[in-house]
Amino acid sequence: MTQSGFFDVEERLARLSGLGDQLEAFSRTVEFEVFRPELNKALAYSDGSKGGRPSFDPVLMFKILVIQTLNTLSDERTEYLINDRLSFMRFLGLGLSERVPDAKTVRLFRERLTQAGAIDGLFNRFDATLRNAGYLPMSGQILDATLVAAPKQRNTNGEKADLREGRIPQDWQDKPSKLSHKDRHARWTLKFTKAKRQDDGTIPSTDLAIPFFGYKSHSSIDRKFRLIRKWETTDAAASDGVRLREGLLDHSNTASDVWADTAYRSKANEDFMEKHGFVSKVHRKKPHLKPMPRHIQKSNAGKSVIRSRVEHVFADQKAQTGLFIRTVGITRATMRIGLANIVYNMRRFLLLERINAAA
């Protein structure tokens, strides 16, 4: 067997480029240096009391989190694949002989960002990049939420009651190792889905209610470019509609129209939008024990054509990045969902740039 040389590696990388290396497209299109000020601030690298500079560049480490999110990788699997894949090494700017961050280093880096609450700043940094590139929030906005699963907890009824009241069960307080593995923020809820057609062709009159445990990702996208502009993470049982009044609306959108499903229809929300200059395009609810008026049916159908675009965002996240919460607690869940939102916007940015280049 002949030993591979420099030109053999270059030839293999050229072949990967020809096959369409997504990470190479990321490197060409996304300026990752814009994240450095936020990373330095969150990690307190400028503070001498925190010790010397880390052995790995923070932007390189952030790019590793992007790789993880794109490919739904554990820390251990990430370490292995960076060592194994030339495309990962090229994206990170690592040579074959250079040291690769191990799984513990990746985990500690992500945890430091999580505890510093850096994800909002990182998201806003990239949103500023999108705006500078000409992708301003336009044509109104669309709100929705999606459930994000987390590992199910096996708790007693007493433990569940304590958690609902915001208390830590006594038995957990006496066992710190057990407490560290218990998610006290995720909640159970019911996920409603349309009943499937039966073998005889009939459709049951009632929808299916499926128990679901985890968190909820709330998003507001702009209608024009379908980029996520505002977002929030809550437990799965949290109300969708309340989020509209708690910062989910983007006041910088060039149009005032707001689309959303019936979960966001309430007098409080309608009054809030009117007061702040928004025009409600929220679906109207069916009257109680009465058939839906024909004109409301037609109105809702027209709104659905636009509102459904936000569902494509969630479908893309779950299909492409396998959005799932494997950590414990809402702080880490927020970090996971925030990274998924940044990566979605990066992928969308690549597509928009490709469309513009072809026009």
Side-chain angles (χ1 to χ4, degrees):
M1 180 182 292
T2 59
Q3 186 174 2
S4 61
F6 173 78
F7 292 106
D8 296 315
V9 173
E10 288 296 305
E11 182 180 348
R12 180 63 60 85
L13 288 172
R15 191 175 303 171
L16 288 173
S17 299
L19 293 171
D21 180 4
Q22 184 183 43
L23 290 177
E24 185 183 28
F26 268 55
S27 295
R28 282 197 311 266
T29 310
V30 177
E31 180 52 66
F32 281 92
E33 279 298 317
V34 301
F35 296 105
R36 186 178 296 278
E38 205 66 37
L39 293 169
N40 286 340
K41 183 173 69 173
L43 300 167
Y45 287 160
S46 61
D47 185 351
S49 65
K50 301 291 184 179
R53 290 186 65 83
S55 56
F56 292 103
D57 181 76
V59 175
L60 178 147
M61 296 299 297
F62 179 70
K63 291 169 79 172
I64 290 178
L65 298 187
V66 170
I67 287 176
Q68 276 193 313
T69 305
L70 273 170
N71 298 278
T72 321
L73 302 175
S74 67
D75 297 328
E76 289 73 17
R77 187 65 177 166
T78 299
E79 178 187 356
Y80 173 81
L81 289 177
I82 293 173
N83 280 283
D84 182 64
R85 290 190 181 178
L86 288 175
S87 60
F88 284 14
M89 293 183 199
R90 175 167 64 181
F91 177 62
L92 298 174
L94 293 174
L96 290 175
S97 61
E98 292 185 78
R99 188 163 63 96
V100 171
D102 60 21
K104 181 178 179 181
T105 301
V106 174
R107 181 164 52 252
L108 290 176
F109 175 79
R110 186 179 57 251
E111 186 66 13
R112 288 184 68 184
L113 291 183
T114 301
Q115 297 307 319
I119 191 62
D120 284 331
L122 293 168
F123 180 88
N124 292 335
R125 286 277 180 179
F126 189 61
D127 187 60
T129 297
L130 295 171
R131 293 168 188 260
N132 291 337
Y135 300 108
L136 299 173
M138 293 181 178
S139 304
Q141 55 195 297
I142 311 170
L143 277 58
D144 205 356
T146 187
L147 293 168
V148 183
K152 296 180 179 64
Q153 303 284 293
R154 309 298 180 186
N155 301 326
T156 66
N157 290 335
E159 290 170 342
K160 292 177 183 177
D162 285 338
L163 292 175
R164 283 193 294 269
E165 296 297 324
R167 298 189 300 266
I168 299 177
Q170 183 62 44
D171 184 51
W172 297 4
Q173 297 179 36
D174 300 335
K175 300 176 181 177
S177 60
K178 181 177 182 177
L179 178 60
S180 66
H181 288 86
K182 286 292 187 178
D183 195 329
R184 293 176 283 130
H185 303 117
R187 291 290 183 271
W188 285 97
T189 190
L190 291 176
K191 180 180 180 180
F192 293 93
T193 185
K194 295 292 184 182
K196 295 182 179 180
R197 188 180 298 274
Q198 302 297 305
D199 293 338
D200 60 3
T202 61
I203 300 178
S205 58
T206 57
D207 293 336
L208 300 176
I210 303 172
F212 185 94
F213 183 79
Y215 292 91
K216 191 176 287 187
S217 171
H218 306 263
S219 296
S220 170
I221 70 166
D222 67 88
R223 179 188 174 191
K224 173 71 173 179
F225 299 114
R226 305 186 194 183
L227 292 161
I228 298 172
R229 302 295 183 170
K230 297 286 185 178
W231 63 281
E232 185 179 351
T233 301
T234 66
D235 63 76
S239 166
D240 293 356
V242 173
R243 308 281 87 75
L244 183 146
R245 307 191 301 274
E246 295 183 352
L248 200 59
L249 288 175
D250 182 9
H251 293 265
S252 67
N253 198 291
T254 59
S256 56
D257 296 329
V258 177
W259 285 266
D261 62 25
T262 55
Y264 297 85
R265 168 68 70 168
S266 69
K267 187 178 186 307
N269 282 351
E270 296 299 306
D271 291 344
F272 180 88
M273 285 188 282
E274 182 178 2
K275 178 180 178 181
H276 291 85
F278 293 102
V279 177
S280 174
K281 301 288 185 180
V282 180
H283 283 220
R284 292 186 176 274
K285 298 179 181 179
K286 177 181 176 298
H288 184 57
L289 299 178
K290 295 181 181 179
M292 177 76 82
R294 182 66 177 171
H295 70 282
I296 294 181
Q297 279 186 340
K298 293 182 65 177
S299 175
N300 282 351
K303 294 171 182 175
S304 290
V305 174
I306 297 173
R307 192 205 64 79
S308 62
R309 296 176 186 177
V310 71
E311 296 176 357
H312 301 163
V313 175
F314 297 138
D316 180 272
Q317 286 184 311
K318 292 183 178 181
Q320 297 298 322
T321 64
L323 187 56
F324 184 86
I325 304 300
R326 290 182 172 82
T327 52
V328 174
I330 194 167
T331 303
R332 295 187 180 99
T334 300
M335 183 69 181
R336 173 71 177 93
I337 290 173
L339 282 170
N341 290 341
I342 292 173
V343 168
Y344 167 80
N345 278 355
M346 287 180 177
R347 294 181 65 251
R348 185 69 184 169
F349 181 41
L350 262 62
L351 176 62
L352 293 170
E353 289 287 273
R354 195 178 305 128
I355 293 172
N356 286 338

